[in-house]
Amino acid sequence: MKRHLTYIMFGTTLILGHFVFSGNRYVYASDAPSIAFSSNRSGNYDIYIMDIKGENLQNLTNSPTHEFRPAFSPDGQRMAYVSSRHDGYLEIYVMNLNTKVSYRLTNHPKHDNNPAWSPDGQWIAFDSNRETTYHIYKIQPDGENLQQLTHGVVDRNYNAAWSPDSQSIAFGSSREVPGIYIMDADGGNQRRLENQPQRGHMPSWSPDGKQIAFSDRILGGHRDPLLGGGQDIYTLNVDGSQLRRRTRHPAEDYSPDWSPDGRSIVYYSKWNEKYDIYLIEGGLGRRTGQLTRHPANDKHPTWVPKGFFPVSPTAETQTTLWGRLKQAAHD
């Protein structure tokens, strides 16, 4: 009996040891939703991930040049981002989150910025000034089939945002009547978002495809003499109805991004003489929460798709893994 008990304990130790060793390479993401964002807390902009509790912070990039504007593939296994690491020009890169290895997606002696991954995973849209002024382009994640979607000599077109069905793209434009425009995924049928009072920009499409969030200075936005401001987050139905103001304070609010469940919007704002990440929650009421409080600037937040991705092990993650294994052993 003792011999059998010894074998069982030895075997259990080997199994647990295997899982703990494996935990040095991979752990599951926090149960809380996570966001990625850009921060210059290391001296230059890098990309970080944390959960919306402000915990489990991870550094995804670590380069002496700026890296920012994360955008994730739908399966959460790859991340597109912007870097100036090679020639000083902004280019789009794609990182495999399992290996942390990146490849260069665009290569042009102009700036390529603001990547947006289509929900079907087939395309990455971005804006570039390679043709005199900024226009919207799309390219396949393997670097093939580059297509220019907007044209013109004077008008700037930027900040592409895909519809949930990948059939349409919203974007900001400086054309004669500026604001948010929508086009088909091939660049056709361009039209201005109806009943948009002024010059919206940085659009984000809701997961149900019914609304677009954007940043604008409308509806009597207050402008503080010291902070400037009056730039708030708004939502508007795609059919032009129900314009709603989601933030209201003197700071500049930028870059809204809808949560996957459509109940929250994350954005960044300059409330306290620096940029931090904030959250509109509670079924999209006006109650907001501050997610970052670092002395550096935190910008460009986006939600991380749920999934399995590598992290650097810490005492906390190993302890959590050991606790889960012990719990499972007692069940």
Side-chain angles (χ1 to χ4, degrees):
M1 179 67 181
K2 291 183 179 180
R3 178 178 299 177
H4 287 300
L5 181 61
T6 301
Y7 288 156
I8 292 172
M9 293 179 63
F10 179 70
T12 303
T13 301
L14 287 177
I15 293 173
L16 292 177
H18 169 75
F19 280 115
V20 171
F21 176 77
S22 298
N24 287 339
R25 296 183 57 213
Y26 299 99
V27 299
Y28 281 99
S30 167
D31 293 335
S34 296
I35 61 167
F37 62 97
S38 312
S39 179
N40 64 349
R41 57 187 64 192
S42 64
N44 56 278
Y45 278 97
D46 279 306
I47 297 171
Y48 296 80
I49 284 182
M50 70 175 185
D51 64 37
I52 59 170
K53 298 177 182 179
E55 301 173 350
N56 297 306
L57 181 71
Q58 303 168 44
N59 181 201
L60 289 184
T61 64
N62 187 12
S63 170
T65 58
H66 295 302
E67 295 170 331
F68 51 93
R69 289 285 185 183
F72 290 86
S73 61
D75 61 6
Q77 298 301 303
R78 291 173 291 172
M79 178 184 72
Y81 64 97
V82 178
S83 178
S84 59
R85 65 181 63 172
H86 281 125
D87 51 16
Y89 287 101
L90 302 182
E91 302 284 359
I92 310 297
Y93 291 78
V94 175
M95 175 186 289
N96 182 316
L97 292 173
N98 288 310
T99 63
K100 296 290 184 70
V101 175
S102 296
Y103 63 87
R104 187 173 179 174
L105 182 66
T106 64
N107 188 353
H108 193 280
K110 292 288 185 177
H111 294 301
D112 299 330
N113 201 358
N114 300 314
W117 213 305
S118 64
D120 63 8
Q122 300 301 307
W123 298 95
I124 295 175
F126 64 97
D127 50 70
S128 176
N129 66 343
R130 58 182 66 190
E131 294 292 336
T132 307
T133 187
Y134 278 92
H135 284 293
I136 305 294
Y137 297 77
K138 69 176 183 180
I139 191 172
Q140 292 176 339
D142 61 3
E144 298 295 325
N145 201 11
L146 175 69
Q147 299 178 30
Q148 184 175 346
L149 303 181
T150 63
H151 302 267
V153 178
V154 178
D155 301 331
R156 294 176 61 246
N157 300 284
Y158 47 88
N159 289 127
W162 291 90
S163 62
D165 61 5
S166 301
Q167 298 302 303
S168 301
I169 297 174
F171 60 100
S173 180
S174 66
R175 56 193 68 182
E176 184 176 358
V177 182
I180 304 297
Y181 281 74
I182 299 174
M183 63 182 169
D184 297 343
D186 61 2
N189 193 25
Q190 296 186 22
R191 67 274 188 195
R192 192 174 188 270
L193 181 62
E194 293 184 6
N195 298 326
Q196 180 190 168
Q198 294 191 23
R199 183 175 179 169
H201 58 109
M202 298 183 176
S204 174
W205 220 301
S206 65
D208 63 8
K210 296 180 179 179
Q211 300 180 75
I212 290 178
F214 57 94
S215 180
D216 203 346
R217 184 178 289 115
I218 56 179
L219 299 183
H222 172 68
R223 186 173 182 84
D224 186 276
L226 296 178
L227 296 177
Q231 190 90 3
D232 286 302
I233 305 301
Y234 295 83
T235 59
L236 181 63
N237 287 351
V238 176
D239 64 9
S241 63
Q242 295 187 7
L243 176 68
R244 296 183 63 185
R245 184 176 180 179
R246 301 297 188 175
T247 63
R248 185 186 298 271
H249 52 75
E252 299 276 355
D253 300 336
Y254 294 111
S255 195
D257 192 53
W258 293 81
S259 62
D261 64 6
R263 294 184 54 82
S264 304
I265 291 176
V266 69
Y267 66 102
Y268 74 92
S269 181
K270 192 175 184 180
W271 280 28
N272 301 309
E273 299 184 356
K274 66 181 184 66
Y275 290 104
D276 279 302
I277 309 299
Y278 294 82
L279 181 72
I280 306 170
E281 53 185 349
L284 290 181
R286 287 178 182 160
R287 180 165 57 92
T288 63
Q290 184 173 349
L291 300 185
T292 62
R293 300 178 184 274
H294 195 276
N297 288 311
D298 299 327
K299 298 181 177 182
H300 313 132
T302 189
W303 297 87
V304 179
K306 286 187 177 181
F308 186 78
F309 57 91
V311 299
S312 299
T314 63
E316 180 181 358
T317 57
Q318 291 187 12
T319 301
T320 300
L321 178 62
W322 176 253
R324 289 178 178 174
L325 287 170
K326 287 199 296 182
Q327 183 180 4
H330 287 295
D331 289 343

